[in-house]
Amino acid sequence: MRIWPGRPYPLGATWDGEGTNFALFSENATAVELCLFEPDGREARVRLDDCDQFVWHCYLPDVRPGQLYGYRVEGP
C-alpha cells in the first residue's frame, strides 16, 4: 500500500479524484493508526507518522470512496 504524508486539513476523509487524505485532530494522542476494513472482514492498519498542530494525517492514493475505516488512538 502506498502511503504519503498528506495534509492536515480538511479534517476527515477527503477524496480528491485520485486518492484520499485522512486527517484527525487529537491534542492528547501519542500515536494514531488508520484502520481500513474490507467487506470480508480483513483489516489493514496504517500508522500515521505525520502530525501538524495536533492533526494526524496521511494520504492514500489507492483508497477510493466507500472505503470503511476507523482509527485506533493511543494516549491519555
Side-chain angles (χ1 to χ4, degrees):
M1 176 182 308
R2 296 181 298 164
I3 305 165
W4 299 347
R7 300 176 317 273
Y9 296 100
L11 295 176
T14 305
W15 164 253
D16 66 5
E18 296 183 17
T20 304
N21 190 76
F22 291 90
L24 174 75
F25 176 86
S26 178
E27 191 169 337
N28 297 311
T30 57
V32 175
E33 288 182 312
L34 171 65
C35 305
L36 304 173
F37 302 101
E38 298 301 325
D40 64 5
R42 289 180 296 143
E43 176 185 349
R45 293 186 188 176
V46 176
R47 185 175 178 90
L48 276 62
D49 292 323
D50 294 290
C51 183
D52 295 302
Q53 298 178 346
F54 305 115
V55 179
W56 299 78
H57 53 90
C58 75
Y59 182 87
L60 302 179
D62 301 317
V63 171
R64 304 287 182 251
Q67 173 69 55
L68 299 176
Y69 72 94
Y71 294 99
R72 292 184 184 274
V73 180
E74 294 180 26

